[in-house]
Amino acid sequence: MELWGAITRALALAGSMAWEILWALILGFTLSAIVQAAVSKATIVRLMGDDRPRTLAVASVLGAASSSCSYAAVALARSLFRKGANFTAAMAFEIASTNLVVELGVVLALLMGWQFAAAEFVGGPIMIVLLAVLFRLFLRKRLVEKAREQAELGVAGSMEGHAAMDMSVGGEVGFWRRLASAKGFTAVSHVFVMEWAAILRDLIVGLLIAGAVAAWVPESFWRAFFFTDHPVGSALWGPLVGPVVAVLAFVCSIGNVPLAAVLWTGGISFGGIVAFIFADLLILPILNIYRKYYGMRMALALTAMFYAAAVGAGYLVELIFGSAGLIPAERSAMVMEEGVSWNYTTWLNIALLLVAAALTARFFATGGLPMLRMMGGSPDAEHDHACHGEHH
C-alpha cells in the first residue's frame, strides 16, 4: 500500500507539471512552425558558410527559431553540414535549436522562475562562444575533413526523416501572405505535429523521471551530493556534475526541465542547473549518434568540448547572476506542487489546446499521417515539400 501511494504521488507530480507547461509548449511549437514554414533549409545553409562571429550569431538565431528535439537537432545539423554549412556554424545551430528556444524559456520560467529563463538566454550564447573558441584552438582541419567524409556516408542515427523534410512554403509573395494561404496553414500544421511527435517521448520520460525522483529520493541525499551546506564547494561542484547527471538521466531537450526543477529544490547550484540543461546534447544515445555521423575521433572531441563549454557556461552564468544578485534565495519550484486549479494556466491550456486541435485536424486532413511513418527514414530520402500534398 505504501508503494502504491508513492507511485500515485509520483504520477500526480508528473501530471501537475505537464498541465503547468502544456500551453507554453503548444505556443512555442506553433511559433516555431510558423518560422519553419517560411524559411527554407536551403536559405539556412546559404547563411552558414563560415565560422565568423556574425555567421555564428545568424546560425544561433536560425537554430532558436527552428525548435527541435535533441535527436532531430543533431540530425538536422549533420544534414546542413553535408549540404555545405560550416561545421562550427552547424554545431551553433544545433545548440540553439535545443537550448535557446522560446518554449524552453517559458517552461523554465513556469516551473522554476524567470531567473532560470534569463540564465538560459544568457548562458546559451556563452556556450556557443566557448565552443567556437575551443574549436578554433583544438579542432584540426584534417579532423573536420574526416568528419565530412563520414557524414557523406549518410549513416542513419535517429529522426533522420524528420531532419530531411523541408516543409517551407516558397513563392515571391510576402511572409504573412504565404502563411495566410492554404499552403501556409498546411505547412504550419505539418511542422507543428511533427515537432510534437519528435519531442513527446522525451517529454513524457522526463516528466515521469522528475515525478519519481521528487517523490522517492529524499532531499537529504541531494543536499549531501551537491554540497549544499558548503556554498563555495557547491558553486564549484555543481557545473561539473550537472552534465554528468544529465547524461545518466538519458533525457534530452525540454524533457530535462522537470528534473532540473527537482535538482534545484534538492540543492544543486544555479550554475549547475545551467550546465545540466545545456548537456542535453551529451546523453549517451546522442554520443553514439555522433560516432555514426562523424567518426569516433570527432565524437570524442565533441564530447569533451561540449562538456567543457557547458561547464564553462555554468560557471560564467553563476558569476554574472551572482554578482547581479539575481540568483533566487528560495529553493522552491512548481515541481513540488500537485493538482490542477481554475487559474490562468487552465484558461491558457484550453485556448491553446483549441489551436493545437485545429492544427492537428489540418495535419490529418492534408495527408500528414504518412509523414509520421517517415520520421525515422533515410537521411538521403527526398522529403522536400512532403507536406504539400494535393489537399490544401
Side-chain angles (χ1 to χ4, degrees):
M1 196 67 182
E2 187 174 324
L3 176 61
W4 176 248
I7 293 175
T8 302
R9 172 164 162 71
L11 291 174
L13 287 168
S16 177
M17 285 184 285
W19 184 251
E20 190 68 27
I21 64 178
L22 181 59
W23 70 267
L25 293 175
I26 296 174
L27 177 61
F29 284 129
T30 301
L31 294 174
S32 173
I34 290 172
V35 173
Q36 292 185 61
V39 182
S40 71
K41 288 189 172 116
T43 300
I44 294 174
V45 171
R46 192 165 60 249
L47 295 171
M48 293 170 50
D50 54 59
D51 62 351
R52 292 180 299 172
R54 182 180 181 278
T55 302
L56 296 183
V58 170
S60 300
V61 171
L62 291 171
S66 303
S67 164
S68 294
C69 82
S70 298
Y71 292 103
V74 172
L76 180 53
R78 197 265 296 260
S79 175
L80 296 174
F81 179 51
R82 292 180 68 192
K83 291 176 181 177
N86 177 270
F87 186 74
T88 303
M91 293 301 104
F93 180 95
E94 178 182 305
I95 293 171
S97 65
T98 59
N99 292 318
L100 284 176
V101 294
V102 172
E103 58 267 31
L104 177 60
V106 177
V107 170
L108 280 167
L110 290 174
L111 290 184
M112 303 177 68
W114 66 267
Q115 297 93 333
F116 294 90
E120 174 213 353
F121 291 114
V122 171
I126 290 175
M127 181 177 175
I128 290 171
V129 170
L130 291 176
L131 193 67
V133 171
L134 289 170
F135 279 7
R136 279 286 181 94
L137 293 175
F138 300 110
L139 207 58
R140 298 291 175 258
K141 184 177 180 181
R142 178 60 183 157
L143 183 57
V144 176
E145 291 173 352
K146 294 290 288 184
R148 189 178 292 278
E149 292 173 7
Q150 178 68 23
E152 290 296 342
L153 297 178
V155 179
S158 181
M159 291 292 171
E160 298 292 352
H162 182 42
M165 295 176 189
D166 188 345
M167 292 172 274
S168 60
V169 180
E172 299 299 322
V173 298
F175 176 85
W176 293 112
R177 286 187 64 185
R178 273 182 283 160
L179 289 179
S181 67
K183 285 186 177 181
F185 184 27
T186 299
V188 171
S189 73
H190 283 215
V191 178
F192 176 82
V193 175
M194 297 292 284
E195 291 292 341
W196 267 102
I199 197 71
L200 196 58
R201 176 187 61 183
D202 284 311
L203 182 62
I204 292 173
V205 171
L207 287 166
L208 291 175
I209 289 176
V213 171
W216 299 341
V217 179
E219 189 175 311
S220 57
F221 169 81
W222 292 122
R223 292 186 65 84
F225 183 71
F226 293 128
F227 304 122
T228 306
D229 296 329
H230 306 278
V232 176
S234 177
L236 293 174
W237 176 243
L240 290 173
V241 76
V244 177
V245 176
V247 170
L248 296 178
F250 269 69
V251 183
C252 60
S253 194
I254 294 172
N256 65 8
V257 176
L259 183 55
V262 174
L263 297 179
W264 174 248
T265 59
I268 193 173
S269 68
F270 191 77
I273 285 291
V274 171
F276 170 82
I277 291 171
F278 289 164
D280 62 326
L281 294 168
L282 284 175
I283 63 172
L284 295 177
I286 286 182
L287 296 183
N288 187 47
I289 291 172
Y290 288 148
R291 179 187 63 80
K292 293 179 181 179
Y293 282 180
Y294 308 119
M296 179 60 78
R297 287 185 61 197
M298 180 60 87
L300 293 174
L302 287 176
T303 302
M305 294 185 202
F306 269 70
Y307 174 79
V311 171
Y315 282 136
L316 288 173
V317 168
E318 177 96 31
L319 181 63
I320 293 169
F321 279 66
S323 300
L326 294 177
I327 297 178
E330 294 185 9
R331 290 187 172 274
S332 59
M334 185 64 65
V335 70
M336 303 311 294
E337 299 180 15
E338 297 178 54
V340 174
S341 58
W342 281 99
N343 54 19
Y344 80 94
T345 298
T346 299
W347 290 112
L348 285 171
N349 280 342
I350 293 172
L352 270 299
L353 280 169
L354 292 174
V355 173
L359 290 171
T360 304
R362 181 69 173 183
F363 175 82
F364 286 107
T366 53
L369 186 59
M371 294 176 61
L372 292 176
R373 302 191 185 103
M374 294 191 297
M375 286 184 68
S378 167
D380 296 314
E382 289 295 331
H383 294 310
D384 286 0
H385 305 288
C387 68
H388 305 147
E390 298 178 359
H391 306 91
H392 300 307

Coordinates of all heavy atoms in Angstrom, one line a residue, residues 89-121:
A89 N 29.4 26.4 -37.4 CA 28.1 27.0 -37.6 C 27.0 26.0 -37.4 O 26.0 26.3 -36.8 CB 28.0 27.7 -38.9
A90 N 27.2 24.8 -37.9 CA 26.2 23.7 -37.7 C 26.0 23.4 -36.3 O 24.9 23.1 -35.8 CB 26.6 22.5 -38.6
M91 N 27.1 23.3 -35.5 CA 27.1 23.0 -34.1 C 26.4 24.1 -33.3 O 25.7 23.9 -32.4 CB 28.5 22.7 -33.6 CG 29.1 21.5 -34.1 SD 28.2 19.9 -33.8 CE 27.5 19.6 -35.4
A92 N 26.7 25.4 -33.7 CA 26.0 26.5 -33.1 C 24.5 26.4 -33.3 O 23.7 26.6 -32.4 CB 26.5 27.8 -33.6
F93 N 24.1 26.1 -34.5 CA 22.7 25.9 -34.9 C 22.1 24.8 -34.0 O 21.0 24.9 -33.5 CB 22.6 25.6 -36.4 CG 21.2 25.3 -36.9 CD1 20.4 26.4 -37.4 CD2 20.6 24.1 -36.7 CE1 19.1 26.1 -37.9 CE2 19.3 23.9 -37.2 CZ 18.6 24.9 -37.8
E94 N 22.8 23.7 -33.9 CA 22.3 22.5 -33.1 C 22.1 22.9 -31.6 O 21.0 22.6 -31.1 CB 23.4 21.4 -33.2 CG 23.0 20.2 -32.4 CD 24.1 19.1 -32.5 OE1 24.5 18.8 -33.6 OE2 24.7 18.7 -31.4
I95 N 23.0 23.6 -31.0 CA 22.9 24.0 -29.6 C 21.7 25.0 -29.5 O 20.9 24.8 -28.6 CB 24.2 24.7 -29.1 CG1 25.3 23.7 -29.1 CG2 23.9 25.4 -27.8 CD1 26.7 24.4 -28.8
A96 N 21.6 26.0 -30.4 CA 20.5 26.9 -30.3 C 19.1 26.3 -30.5 O 18.2 26.7 -29.8 CB 20.7 28.1 -31.3
S97 N 19.0 25.3 -31.3 CA 17.7 24.7 -31.6 C 17.2 23.9 -30.5 O 16.0 23.5 -30.5 CB 17.8 23.9 -32.9 OG 18.6 22.8 -32.8
T98 N 18.0 23.6 -29.5 CA 17.5 22.8 -28.3 C 17.6 23.7 -27.1 O 16.8 23.5 -26.1 CB 18.3 21.6 -28.1 OG1 19.7 21.9 -27.9 CG2 18.2 20.6 -29.3
N99 N 18.5 24.7 -27.0 CA 18.7 25.4 -25.8 C 18.4 26.9 -25.8 O 18.5 27.5 -24.7 CB 20.2 25.2 -25.3 CG 20.5 23.8 -24.9 OD1 19.7 23.1 -24.3 ND2 21.7 23.3 -25.4
L100 N 18.0 27.4 -26.9 CA 17.7 28.8 -27.0 C 16.3 29.0 -27.5 O 16.0 30.1 -28.1 CB 18.7 29.6 -27.9 CG 20.1 29.8 -27.2 CD1 21.0 30.5 -28.2 CD2 19.9 30.7 -26.0
V101 N 15.4 28.0 -27.4 CA 14.1 28.1 -28.0 C 13.1 28.8 -27.0 O 13.3 28.7 -25.7 CB 13.6 26.7 -28.4 CG1 14.4 26.2 -29.5 CG2 13.6 25.7 -27.2
V102 N 12.1 29.4 -27.5 CA 11.1 30.1 -26.7 C 10.4 29.2 -25.7 O 10.3 29.5 -24.5 CB 10.1 30.8 -27.6 CG1 8.9 31.4 -26.7 CG2 10.7 31.8 -28.4
E103 N 10.0 28.0 -26.1 CA 9.2 27.1 -25.2 C 10.1 26.7 -24.0 O 9.6 26.5 -22.9 CB 8.6 25.9 -26.0 CG 9.6 25.1 -26.7 CD 9.8 25.5 -28.1 OE1 9.7 26.7 -28.4 OE2 10.1 24.6 -29.0
L104 N 11.4 26.5 -24.2 CA 12.2 26.1 -23.1 C 12.3 27.2 -22.1 O 12.2 26.9 -20.9 CB 13.6 25.7 -23.6 CG 14.7 25.4 -22.5 CD1 14.2 24.1 -21.8 CD2 16.0 25.1 -23.2
G105 N 12.5 28.4 -22.6 CA 12.5 29.6 -21.6 C 11.2 29.7 -20.9 O 11.2 30.0 -19.6
V106 N 10.1 29.6 -21.5 CA 8.8 29.7 -20.9 C 8.6 28.6 -19.8 O 8.1 28.9 -18.7 CB 7.6 29.7 -21.9 CG1 6.3 29.8 -21.2 CG2 7.8 30.9 -22.8
V107 N 8.9 27.4 -20.2 CA 8.8 26.3 -19.3 C 9.7 26.4 -18.1 O 9.3 26.2 -16.9 CB 9.1 24.9 -20.0 CG1 9.2 23.8 -19.0 CG2 8.0 24.6 -21.0
L108 N 10.9 26.9 -18.3 CA 11.8 27.2 -17.1 C 11.2 28.3 -16.2 O 11.2 28.1 -15.0 CB 13.2 27.7 -17.7 CG 14.1 26.6 -18.1 CD1 15.3 27.3 -18.9 CD2 14.7 25.8 -16.9
A109 N 10.6 29.3 -16.8 CA 10.0 30.4 -16.0 C 8.8 29.8 -15.2 O 8.7 30.2 -14.1 CB 9.6 31.5 -16.9
L110 N 8.0 29.0 -15.8 CA 6.8 28.5 -15.2 C 7.2 27.5 -14.0 O 6.6 27.6 -13.0 CB 5.9 27.7 -16.2 CG 5.2 28.6 -17.2 CD1 4.5 27.7 -18.2 CD2 4.2 29.5 -16.5
L111 N 8.1 26.6 -14.3 CA 8.4 25.6 -13.2 C 9.4 26.1 -12.2 O 9.4 25.6 -11.1 CB 9.0 24.4 -13.9 CG 8.0 23.5 -14.7 CD1 8.7 22.2 -15.2 CD2 6.8 23.1 -13.9
M112 N 10.3 27.1 -12.6 CA 11.4 27.4 -11.7 C 11.6 28.9 -11.4 O 12.1 29.2 -10.3 CB 12.7 26.8 -12.3 CG 12.7 25.3 -12.5 SD 14.2 24.7 -13.3 CE 15.4 24.9 -12.0
G113 N 11.1 29.7 -12.3 CA 11.3 31.2 -12.1 C 11.9 31.9 -13.3 O 12.7 31.2 -14.0
W114 N 11.7 33.1 -13.4 CA 12.2 33.9 -14.6 C 13.7 33.9 -14.6 O 14.3 34.1 -15.7 CB 11.6 35.3 -14.6 CG 12.1 36.2 -13.4 CD1 11.5 36.4 -12.2 CD2 13.3 37.0 -13.4 NE1 12.2 37.2 -11.4 CE2 13.3 37.6 -12.2 CE3 14.3 37.2 -14.3 CZ2 14.4 38.5 -11.8 CZ3 15.3 38.1 -14.0 CH2 15.3 38.7 -12.7
Q115 N 14.3 33.9 -13.4 CA 15.8 33.9 -13.4 C 16.4 32.8 -14.2 O 17.5 32.9 -14.9 CB 16.3 33.9 -12.0 CG 15.9 35.0 -11.1 CD 14.6 34.8 -10.3 OE1 13.8 34.0 -10.8 NE2 14.5 35.4 -9.2
F116 N 15.8 31.6 -14.2 CA 16.3 30.5 -14.9 C 16.1 30.6 -16.4 O 17.0 30.2 -17.2 CB 15.7 29.2 -14.4 CG 16.0 28.9 -13.0 CD1 15.3 29.3 -11.9 CD2 17.2 28.1 -12.7 CE1 15.6 29.1 -10.6 CE2 17.5 27.9 -11.4 CZ 16.7 28.3 -10.3
A117 N 15.0 31.2 -16.8 CA 14.8 31.5 -18.2 C 15.8 32.5 -18.7 O 16.4 32.4 -19.8 CB 13.4 32.1 -18.4
A118 N 16.1 33.5 -17.9 CA 17.1 34.5 -18.3 C 18.5 33.8 -18.4 O 19.3 34.2 -19.3 CB 17.1 35.6 -17.2
A119 N 18.8 32.9 -17.4 CA 20.0 32.2 -17.5 C 20.2 31.4 -18.7 O 21.3 31.3 -19.3 CB 20.1 31.3 -16.2
E120 N 19.1 30.8 -19.2 CA 19.1 30.1 -20.5 C 19.6 31.0 -21.6 O 20.5 30.6 -22.4 CB 17.8 29.5 -20.8 CG 17.7 28.8 -22.1 CD 16.3 28.9 -22.8 OE1 15.4 29.4 -22.1 OE2 16.2 28.5 -24.0
F121 N 18.9 32.1 -21.7 CA 19.2 33.0 -22.9 C 20.5 33.8 -22.7 O 21.1 34.2 -23.7 CB 18.1 34.0 -23.1 CG 16.8 33.3 -23.5 CD1 15.7 33.3 -22.7 CD2 16.7 32.7 -24.8 CE1 14.5 32.7 -23.1 CE2 15.6 32.1 -25.2 CZ 14.5 32.1 -24.4

